[in-house]
Amino acid sequence: PLPRFENLKLVGIIRDGGGNQALLEDEIGFGYILRSGDRIKNGYVLSVEGNKAVFQVEEYGGYKTMTLELNPEY
């Protein structure tokens, strides 16, 4: 099943020539590797850059841009 933004935590970023990928984990520890354009249950990944992943998330009938950033301890 697709993850929900509210349940995700960014735990790493893979940088390569084909575009960055976000390493994400949900509340029970299940892992996901997502890149720009990949769908989540309530939206999609806009971009993966630097130390953050940016999402377009559907909320109350509209879309909102939401960001997950790496915790400095990683």
Side-chain angles (χ1 to χ4, degrees):
L2 295 174
R4 293 187 62 83
F5 175 81
E6 297 81 11
N7 300 335
L8 292 174
K9 176 173 80 171
L10 182 62
V11 295
I13 294 187
I14 300 172
R15 292 169 176 72
D16 67 19
N20 295 341
Q21 299 175 55
L23 302 175
L24 300 138
E25 193 174 274
D26 66 14
E27 74 278 8
I28 60 170
F30 191 82
Y32 300 89
I33 299 174
L34 301 176
R35 66 176 64 223
S36 180
D38 284 348
R39 304 269 321 148
I40 59 173
K41 186 159 182 109
N42 50 340
Y44 61 94
V45 181
L46 268 177
S47 65
V48 179
E49 53 197 47
N51 66 342
K52 64 185 177 183
V54 182
F55 296 80
Q56 193 78 326
V57 180
E58 186 175 5
E59 194 172 82
Y60 306 112
Y63 280 91
K64 185 174 183 180
T65 301
M66 307 284 281
T67 301
L68 291 176
E69 293 192 48
L70 277 177
N71 186 330
E73 72 185 44
Y74 286 106

